[in-house]
C-alpha cells in the first residue's frame, strides 16, 4: 500500500479532523466507538468518613476604594466535579476559568470520561505562565475525581501548590489565621462548612477588600452543592417596618408605558433572486 | 541621604536620617486579662533576611507599673530604653511617693516618637505599652509615626494581619491567666507558621498589681503531619 505524498498544511484554528480517517479505519476493523453516555460507576462504602472539598468566597468586587459589586460570584464552574475560586482582577479570573472550562468540556467529549482536577490545574498553570503574570488571576481550584479529592492554589505567575487548606486574595492572612489555628484532619462536612464560613467571615470583618456575604461550594464524589449566599452577615441596617409605598404619580407613568401601542411598519425592501455577485 | 540641617546657619555639617531599619524584631502581641496585662514576643532579631540574633529580649519592664514591648529596629529600642531609664530615675529622685504609671509612660513615648517623626528622623519601632496602676489596667500602642491608641488587645507588625482577627474573635473580658496564655500562644503559633522572620523561641511577660514576671524562653509545638503534606503529587507525578 503506497501512500502518496501529502502536502502538509498547518492548522489555522477551528477543529482538527486529522484523526477521522484513522477512526474510520478502526471502525472497519471492528472497534466499538465510545458514546458520550458512558461513565464509570463507583460504589461509596458506608464506612468511609466524609471525603470531599469545600470552597468558600466572599462576594465583594472593588474598583479601588469603591465597592463595584456587593454580591458578585467568585466561585466559578469548571466541570460538574470541579469548581474554582478566583481572586485578583475579576475580568482575568472570569476569562481564564471560562476558557479552561470550555477546554475541559471538549476534552470530556473527546475522552468520554469525567474531568480530573490535575487536568484543570495543568491547563490553568500553563496558560498563566505563558502570560508571565500579566493575567492577574490567583485561583483556588478544588474538586473530586476518580483519584480522590484535590485542592490546589494557582498564583498569577503560574506556580501551584497542593494543600490541605488554602487561602488567596487580600483577606488571605485573616482567613489563614483562622485555618492555622482551627484546622485538623477528620472534619465532618458540617464542621468543614462551619470552619470555611468562619474563615471567610474573618476576612469580611477584618479586611477592607472583602465584604458582604459568604458563598460556599461543597464537592463530594458524584455530587456538588453550590450554596449561593449561604451566610448573610451584613444585612441592611435600617428597614422600615411599615414597608414602602409609592405615590400615585409613579403608578401613572408605569401604566402609560404598558399601554403603548405598537404599529408594524410596511415592508419596503424587495428581495431580488440571483443578482450579480459583489465585487471584492 | 545627607541633608543640611536648617538650624545650622553657615555650618554645612551633614545630618543623617534613619532611612530604613537594619536589625529588626518581628511582631509583639499584648492583651488585657483579669489581673493585668499579658504580652508575648519572640526572641529573634533579623538582619535583613538573615536570622542574626536569637536571644533578644523584646519585652522589658519600665518602672514599677509598666511593660514595654517593641518591634522594629533594635538599636532604636535600646535608645528608647535608655530614655525611659532616665525618665524613671528622675521620677524616683523626686521621692514624692508617686510613680509614673503606664498612661504617663505611654504619653511620653508618643511625644518622643511624634517629635522624631516631625524631624524626618524616626525611631523605627512599633511599641506596645502595658501596665496596671491602682487597679486600673492600661494597654496602648505607639507606632513610628506617632499614631497612638489604647485598646483591649494590640498587635504590631505581622500580628496586625494574622493575630488581630483571632483576638477580635476570641478575646473577652476577664480572661484567666491560663486562657490568656493559651490565646497568646495560638496567635504566636500562627505567626510562627506564616511570618518568615519569626523564631520558635518566645517569652511571655505578665504584669499585675503585684509586679512584673517575664517567663523563661520556651518553644511552641507545631504540627506538620497533614495527609496532604505526605504525598502532594499523588495522582499527578511530575507536578508539585
Amino acid at each position: 500500500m503506497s501512500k502518496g505524498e501529502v502536502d502538509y498544511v498547518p492548522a489555522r484554528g477551528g477543529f482538527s479532523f486529522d484523526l477521522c480517517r484513522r477512526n474510520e479505519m478502526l471502525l472497519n476493523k471492528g472497534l466499538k466507538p465510545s458514546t458520550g453516555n458512558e461513565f464509570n460507576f463507583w460504589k461509596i462504602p458506608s464506612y468511609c468518613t466524609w471525603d470531599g472539598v469545600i470552597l468558600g468566597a466572599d462576594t465583594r468586587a472593588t474598583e479601588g476604594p469603591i465597592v463595584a459589586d456587593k454580591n458578585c460570584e467568585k466561585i466559578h464552574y469548571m466541570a460538574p466535579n470541579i469548581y474554582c475560586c478566583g481572586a485578583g482582577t475579576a475580568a482575568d479570573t472570569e476569562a481564564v476559568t471560562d476558557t479552561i472550562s470550555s477546554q475541559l468540556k471538549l476534552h470530556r467529549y473527546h475522552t468520554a470520561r469525567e474531568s480530573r482536577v490535575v487536568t484543570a490545574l495543568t491547563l490553568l498553570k500553563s496558560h498563566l505562565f505563558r502570560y508571565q503574570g500579566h493575567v492577574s488571576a490567583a485561583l483556588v481550584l478544588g474538586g473530586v475525581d476518580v483519584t480522590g479529592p484535590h485542592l490546589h492554589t494557582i498564583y498569577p505567575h503560574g506556580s501551584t501548590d497542593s494543600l490541605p487548606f488554602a487561602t488567596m486574595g487580600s483577606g488571605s492572612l485573616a482567613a489563614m489565621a483562622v485555618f492555622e489555628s482551627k484546622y485538623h484532619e477528620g472534619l465532618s462536612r458540617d464542621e468543614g462548612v462551619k470552619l470555611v464560613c468562619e474563615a471567610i467571615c474573618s476576612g469580611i470583618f477584618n479586611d477592607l477588600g472583602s465584604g458582604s456575604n459568604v458563598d460556599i461550594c461543597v464537592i463530594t464524589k458524584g455530587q456538588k452543592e453550590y450554596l449561593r449566599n449561604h451566610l448573610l452577615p451584613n444585612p441592611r441596617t435600617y428597614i422600615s417596618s411599615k414597608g414602602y409605598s409609592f405615590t400615585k404619580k409613579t403608578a401613572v407613568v408605569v401604566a402609560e408605558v404598558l399601554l403603548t401601542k405598537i404599529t408594524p411598519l410596511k415592508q419596503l425592501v424587495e428581495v431580488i433572486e440571483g443578482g450579480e455577485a459583489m465585487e471584492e | 541621604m545627607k541633608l543640611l540641617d536648617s538650624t545650622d546657619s553657615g555650618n554645612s555639617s551633614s545630618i543623617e536620617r534613619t532611612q530604613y531599619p537594619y536589625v529588626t524584631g518581628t511582631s509583639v502581641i499584648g492583651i488585657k486579662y483579669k489581673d493585668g496585662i499579658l504580652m508575648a514576643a519572640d526572641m529573634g532579631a533579623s538582619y535583613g533576611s538573615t536570622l542574626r540574633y536569637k536571644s533578644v529580649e523584646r519585652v522589658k519592664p519600665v518602672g514599677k507599673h509598666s511593660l514595654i514591648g517593641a518591634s522594629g529596629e533594635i538599636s532604636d529600642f535600646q535608645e528608647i530604653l535608655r530614655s525611659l531609664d532616665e525618665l524613671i530615675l528622675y521620677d524616683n529622685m523626686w521621692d514624692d511617693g508617686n510613680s509614673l504609671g503606664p498612661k504617663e509612660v505611654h504619653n511620653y513615648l508618643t511625644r518622643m516618637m511624634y517629635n522624631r517623626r516631625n524631624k524626618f528622623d524616626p525611631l523605627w519601632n512599633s511599641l506596645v505599652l502595658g501596665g496596671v496602676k491602682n487597679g486600673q489596667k492600661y494597654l496602648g500602642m505607639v507606632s513610628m509615626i506617632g499614631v497612638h491608641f489604647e485598646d483591649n488587645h494590640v498587635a504590631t507588625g505581622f500580628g496586625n494581619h494574622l493575630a488581630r482577627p483571632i483576638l477580635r474573635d476570641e478575646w473577652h473580658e476577664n480572661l484567666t491567666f491560663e486562657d490568656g496564655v493559651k490565646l497568646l500562644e495560638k496567635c504566636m503559633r500562627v505567626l510562627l507558621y506564616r511570618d518568615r522572620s519569626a523564631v520558635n523561641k518566645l517569652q511571655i511577660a505578665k504584669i499585675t498589681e503585684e509586679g512584673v514576671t517575664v517567663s523563661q524562653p520556651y518553644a511552641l509545638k507545631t504540627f506538620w503531619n497533614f495527609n496532604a503534606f505526605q504525598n502532594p503529587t499523588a495522582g499527578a507525578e511530575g507536578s508539585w
Side-chain angles (χ1 to χ4, degrees):
Chain A
M1 203 166 42
S2 63
K3 264 192 289 195
E5 285 275 335
V6 181
D7 285 332
Y8 178 65
V9 181
R12 280 188 297 168
F15 293 106
S16 160
F17 297 101
D18 296 335
L19 294 172
C20 286
R21 195 182 278 178
R22 165 247 189 201
N23 290 345
E24 234 178 86
M25 182 210 60
L26 286 172
L27 272 177
N28 290 339
K29 294 216 172 145
L31 175 74
K32 271 200 294 249
S34 51
T35 63
N37 295 323
E38 273 175 27
F39 288 101
N40 296 314
F41 289 97
W42 298 84
K43 286 203 210 105
I44 301 170
S46 55
Y47 57 81
C48 254
T49 52
W50 188 83
D51 212 14
V53 162
I54 304 175
L55 298 170
D58 74 308
T59 58
R60 174 181 283 186
T62 56
E63 201 174 310
I66 304 170
V67 177
D69 188 348
K70 18 180 208 180
N71 208 359
C72 68
E73 280 188 16
K74 297 192 188 178
I75 306 188
H76 306 287
Y77 167 89
M78 301 283 283
N81 58 326
I82 307 174
Y83 273 76
C84 185
C85 301
T89 307
D92 287 338
T93 57
E94 284 277 348
V96 116
T97 47
D98 277 352
T99 309
I100 271 69
S101 171
S102 73
Q103 285 179 11
L104 281 177
K105 181 132 199 179
L106 286 172
H107 193 250
R108 276 204 295 285
Y109 283 140
H110 197 76
T111 57
R113 281 175 177 72
E114 200 182 51
S115 295
R116 297 195 188 192
V117 181
V118 285
T119 319
L121 179 73
T122 314
L123 288 169
L124 285 164
K125 169 201 288 211
S126 15
H127 182 97
L128 290 173
F129 181 71
R130 201 174 315 133
Y131 286 91
Q132 289 291 297
H134 291 291
V135 174
S136 176
L139 309 166
V140 174
L141 178 73
V144 181
D145 57 25
V146 294
T147 51
H150 295 277
L151 182 67
H152 302 284
T153 53
I154 309 163
Y155 290 86
H157 285 263
S159 66
T160 59
D161 287 313
S162 299
L163 298 166
F165 52 88
T167 62
M168 297 287 251
S170 60
S172 62
L173 282 97
M176 186 52 85
V178 171
F179 274 151
E180 284 285 12
S181 47
K182 296 197 179 147
Y183 179 84
H184 58 88
E185 311 227 271
L187 287 165
S188 71
R189 177 207 178 273
D190 291 326
E191 287 176 340
V193 171
K194 189 160 156 299
L195 180 63
V196 171
C197 278
E198 258 186 70
I200 302 287
C201 282
S202 166
I204 287 176
F205 292 117
N206 292 308
D207 171 52
L208 298 174
S210 317
S212 304
N213 318 121
V214 182
D215 286 350
I216 300 276
C217 185
V218 184
I219 310 175
T220 48
K221 181 150 257 162
Q223 71 150 15
K224 59 150 196 282
E225 277 175 72
Y226 185 62
L227 304 164
R228 168 80 172 142
N229 284 0
H230 177 69
L231 258 182
L232 296 115
N234 289 306
R236 231 193 161 90
T237 334
Y238 304 108
I239 304 179
S240 160
S241 51
K242 291 183 285 188
Y244 299 96
S245 64
F246 296 98
T247 64
K248 278 202 187 134
K249 274 196 200 157
T250 45
V252 167
V253 173
V254 169
E256 264 178 25
V257 171
L258 290 173
L259 290 172
T260 313
K261 269 203 331 210
I262 302 169
T263 46
L265 296 167
K266 267 203 301 228
Q267 190 172 337
L268 289 174
V269 178
E270 280 174 45
V271 180
I272 309 167
E273 293 286 314
E276 272 176 24
M278 247 175 39
E279 274 179 50
E280 295 234 332
Chain B
M1 188 173 78
K2 293 174 193 283
L3 291 170
L4 286 176
D5 191 352
S6 56
T7 58
D8 269 15
S9 54
N11 185 6
S12 56
S13 65
S14 40
I15 305 284
E16 288 196 33
R17 314 206 162 189
T18 308
Q19 291 298 299
Y20 23 76
Y22 285 97
V23 180
T24 53
T26 180
S27 1
V28 178
I29 319 180
I31 55 172
K32 276 191 196 164
Y33 79 109
K34 191 161 57 93
D35 304 324
I37 310 288
L38 277 172
M39 217 184 277
D42 66 23
M43 299 189 76
S46 325
Y47 182 56
S49 49
T50 322
L51 236 182
R52 178 69 181 83
Y53 302 103
K54 294 201 214 168
S55 299
V56 177
E57 285 194 26
R58 296 194 291 117
V59 184
K60 293 276 193 184
V62 176
K64 282 200 290 224
H65 302 285
S66 327
L67 261 182
I68 181 172
S71 71
E73 174 64 59
I74 297 295
S75 62
D76 284 344
F77 179 47
Q78 289 168 346
E79 182 70 23
I80 290 171
L81 286 176
R82 239 180 19 83
S83 305
L84 286 177
D85 209 25
E86 213 178 296
L87 179 77
I88 298 291
L89 183 70
Y90 280 139
D91 185 52
N92 285 344
M93 291 203 309
W94 281 109
D95 202 16
D96 56 2
N98 195 11
S99 47
L100 286 175
K103 220 176 273 207
E104 289 83 47
V105 178
H106 187 219
N107 193 38
Y108 179 77
L109 286 170
T110 308
R111 292 292 108 230
M112 196 163 67
M113 303 295 271
Y114 186 64
N115 262 289
R116 291 288 297 258
R117 164 257 192 196
N118 282 339
K119 292 194 261 190
F120 280 92
D121 183 19
L123 289 160
W124 210 284
N125 293 109
S126 283
L127 305 165
V128 175
L129 207 298
V132 191
K133 187 175 172 193
N134 297 336
Q136 293 274 9
K137 297 179 283 214
Y138 185 89
L139 182 62
M141 201 175 113
V142 195
S143 81
M144 83 181 192
I145 49 175
V147 175
H148 63 285
F149 55 90
E150 197 227 320
D151 205 348
N152 292 322
H153 47 81
V154 294
T156 66
F158 244 92
N160 265 314
H161 299 111
L162 289 170
R164 203 161 257 155
I166 303 179
L167 291 171
R168 279 185 181 162
D169 248 355
E170 304 195 8
W171 183 89
H172 58 87
E173 202 74 56
N174 293 326
L175 281 166
T176 61
F177 176 66
E178 288 79 27
D179 282 341
V181 171
K182 252 203 251 172
L183 182 58
L184 280 179
E185 284 190 348
K186 194 184 234 187
C187 296
M188 294 303 287
R189 188 171 290 116
V190 178
L191 284 167
L192 176 64
Y193 283 137
R194 295 283 163 178
D195 180 4
R196 82 166 190 173
S197 34
V199 236
N200 197 4
K201 186 174 168 190
L202 67 139
Q203 279 183 313
I204 297 200
K206 165 179 89 145
I207 182 164
T208 59
E209 195 70 56
E210 281 87 54
V212 178
T213 348
V214 183
S215 76
Q216 285 298 315
Y218 68 101
L220 292 170
K221 277 210 197 65
T222 55
F223 181 74
W224 297 93
N225 286 333
F226 290 117
N227 269 331
F229 288 165
Q230 303 307 328
N231 199 2
T233 61
E237 273 74 41
S239 76
W240 67 92

